[in-house]
Amino acid sequence: MIESWRWFGPLDKISLPEITQTGASGIVTALHDIPYGEVWPVEAIAARQKMIADIGLLDWMVVESLPIHERIKRGEGDLSPLFATYRQSMANLATCGITTICYNFMPLLDWTRTTLNAPVQGGGTALRFDRQDMAVFEIFMLERIDAEADYTPDIIDAAKRHFDQMQPHDKDHLLASIMAGLPGAYDRYSISQLRDELVKYKDIDHASLRANYSRFLHEVIPTAAELGMRLCVHPDDPPRDILGLPRIVSTHADIAWILDEVDDMANGLTLCSGSLGANPDNDVPQIAAAFAERIHFAHLRNVSIDDDGSFQEAAHLDGDVDMVALVKILMAEEQRRWQNGRADHEIVFRPDHGHELLSDIGRGTHPGYPLIGRMRGLAELRGIVRALAHGQKD
């Protein structure tokens, strides 16, 4: 397995020389400064690629992500120019030798958390999604119509009591936490802006979003196949409807539909153990085994789930996902690919998210992407890989 590290480009508080000290050799990044829907020029791709290569020991291996414009997700207007732009950016990446693209089809928001600094036993902080805090936001701050239907009476009552005690800075903090999951889009929504954006999705349900996703796949996967590229969809995070927006990449059945819709190796999966693991009905190792052949990239992290559906980022070897079993499945798939003569038999993975620990605290890195916490996670995952590889030799 190939160790990689997500880097947010020149604005990242973690430098490339620091990343070399983690032991990772692959860089996962994107041209975050280019607005959604615009072509990624070869010159810009090559310049970023050179910036990474000049450090030594590092190689840009995965794009995360080449964003999909919201109009494509809504199926709004003449989309031909947007699809043409996406295909051109793919071609430009392929020209530079970058052939794996991680993307998501989550409407409007990326990953969503309500707290960015939940305390961790022994010190440090973690990302957390709390159902009560989300109810506070949806029902009493955003005042979303019909939001109460998504929560139990107990949660609504507790949310109301909490909301009544909140100060303006508490509300600002909750909004900022929920908006923090947009690492590739530096603009954040205010409450009024978010309401306006949600209106644009008022007629989009699961069926229509799936139809729009199907169109995207049919528009871009044939080009990816011609270019020798691998596109790999990232699961929804959390894997459930949120803010009244449908989510369609959340379950085993969802993934099966996606991979069958355009049955080509270019149409693949980013196996994110934390995103899928936040749904207690998802058996993540079983999902990995079922779709192993189409896993082109992996995000490895863990979560601990509460009875009410809340969850918190756990240490990589703790939580509710059996990480050892999962890595064993990925390594068995690598072995199968190697035996079948695939040149790209190794699976690129990265330690996803991490607790803020030690000197991480106060450094101001992207939420969920500290240095020490992720390096701890990478070291733990590296230990699993080495131990399992030793067992394979025996």
Side-chain angles (χ1 to χ4, degrees):
M1 296 182 72
I2 300 175
E3 299 175 2
S4 67
W5 188 274
R6 189 170 191 184
W7 180 61
F8 291 94
L11 295 180
D12 200 322
K13 297 292 181 66
I14 299 171
S15 69
L16 290 170
E18 287 177 303
I19 295 172
T20 64
Q21 297 179 52
T22 70
S25 59
I27 290 295
V28 177
T29 192
L31 302 182
H32 295 300
D33 53 314
I34 297 180
Y36 292 11
E38 293 189 10
V39 171
W40 286 16
V42 168
E43 296 76 14
I45 297 167
R48 185 63 54 84
Q49 196 173 30
K50 184 176 185 300
M51 182 186 299
I52 294 166
D54 283 351
I55 297 298
L57 304 177
L58 298 175
D59 182 27
W60 184 0
M61 292 183 177
V62 179
V63 172
E64 187 176 346
S65 60
L66 182 59
I68 300 171
H69 198 281
E70 293 299 315
R71 283 181 49 216
I72 292 176
K73 298 174 188 177
R74 295 193 297 264
E76 177 184 289
D78 179 10
L79 298 178
S80 297
L82 286 175
F83 287 126
T85 294
Y86 203 94
R87 288 190 293 264
Q88 185 61 58
S89 293
M90 289 167 50
N92 292 348
L93 285 163
T95 295
C96 295
I98 303 170
T99 57
T100 302
I101 298 174
C102 170
Y103 71 97
N104 74 71
F105 212 79
M106 288 181 265
L108 198 57
L109 298 180
D110 205 309
W111 59 263
T112 304
R113 301 292 185 271
T114 58
T115 305
L116 305 180
N117 57 351
V120 174
Q121 186 176 14
T125 65
L127 303 180
R128 177 174 176 79
F129 179 91
D130 190 279
R131 290 278 288 167
Q132 179 181 304
D133 287 342
M134 199 66 200
V136 167
F137 182 76
E138 287 204 76
I139 299 171
F140 303 108
M141 290 175 57
L142 189 61
E143 298 178 329
R144 180 174 71 82
I145 297 172
D146 297 329
E148 293 90 342
D150 293 341
Y151 298 93
T152 64
D154 288 348
I155 288 181
I156 295 172
D157 290 344
K160 180 62 166 65
R161 291 193 298 272
H162 181 52
F163 175 74
D164 289 341
Q165 297 174 356
M166 292 175 74
Q167 300 299 314
H169 70 271
D170 297 320
K171 299 173 185 177
D172 291 342
H173 184 74
L174 180 56
L175 173 64
S177 296
I178 291 171
M179 290 296 106
L182 293 169
Y186 291 105
D187 292 333
R188 300 295 189 252
Y189 301 122
S190 66
I191 290 290
S192 61
Q193 289 170 332
L194 183 56
R195 288 189 186 121
D196 291 342
E197 292 299 318
L198 288 172
V199 168
K200 298 176 184 178
Y201 277 93
K202 64 182 178 62
D203 296 323
I204 303 296
D205 59 12
H206 291 85
S208 55
L209 185 62
R210 181 173 277 195
N212 296 338
Y213 188 19
S214 174
R215 181 179 176 187
F216 170 79
L217 292 174
H218 285 279
E219 289 276 358
V220 304
I221 295 300
T223 300
E226 291 173 5
L227 294 169
M229 304 192 80
R230 309 288 202 206
L231 266 64
C232 39
V233 65
H234 187 287
D236 302 324
D237 187 10
R240 63 179 70 123
D241 294 356
I242 195 166
L243 296 177
L245 297 168
R247 294 284 180 95
I248 58 170
V249 193
S250 296
T251 66
H252 184 289
D254 290 338
I255 296 168
W257 175 84
I258 292 162
L259 301 185
D260 288 343
E261 184 66 9
V262 179
D263 189 7
D264 191 291
M265 284 297 292
N267 180 27
L269 173 67
T270 295
L271 193 285
C272 181
S273 56
S275 296
L276 291 169
N279 181 341
D281 294 331
N282 285 336
D283 182 331
V284 181
Q286 190 276 331
I287 289 173
F291 304 111
E293 184 180 20
R294 304 280 280 275
I295 294 172
H296 302 323
F297 181 39
H299 291 177
L300 300 181
R301 62 180 172 89
N302 222 321
V303 290
S304 295
I305 309 171
D306 298 340
D307 290 340
D308 68 353
S310 302
F311 62 89
Q312 184 161 312
E313 307 275 5
H316 284 68
L317 300 190
D318 297 332
D320 295 314
V321 176
D322 187 338
M323 194 63 68
V324 175
L326 176 59
V327 173
K328 187 174 183 179
I329 289 165
L330 296 177
M331 292 181 67
E333 171 59 17
E334 285 187 320
Q335 183 73 7
R336 187 197 66 80
R337 295 178 187 184
W338 179 78
Q339 290 172 344
N340 289 343
R342 273 185 58 175
D344 60 342
H345 64 276
E346 291 185 283
I347 296 172
V348 178
F349 78 95
R350 65 173 178 83
D352 195 17
H353 296 182
H355 294 169
E356 284 198 342
L357 305 172
L358 304 171
S359 59
D360 288 331
I361 298 172
R363 185 169 179 180
T365 55
H366 283 73
Y369 292 92
L371 176 59
I372 305 301
R374 279 190 291 166
M375 188 164 65
R376 172 186 168 179
L378 179 58
E380 292 175 342
L381 295 168
R382 182 182 296 142
I384 295 175
V385 172
R386 292 292 179 90
L388 291 173
H390 187 273
Q392 286 179 345
K393 291 176 183 178
D394 293 341

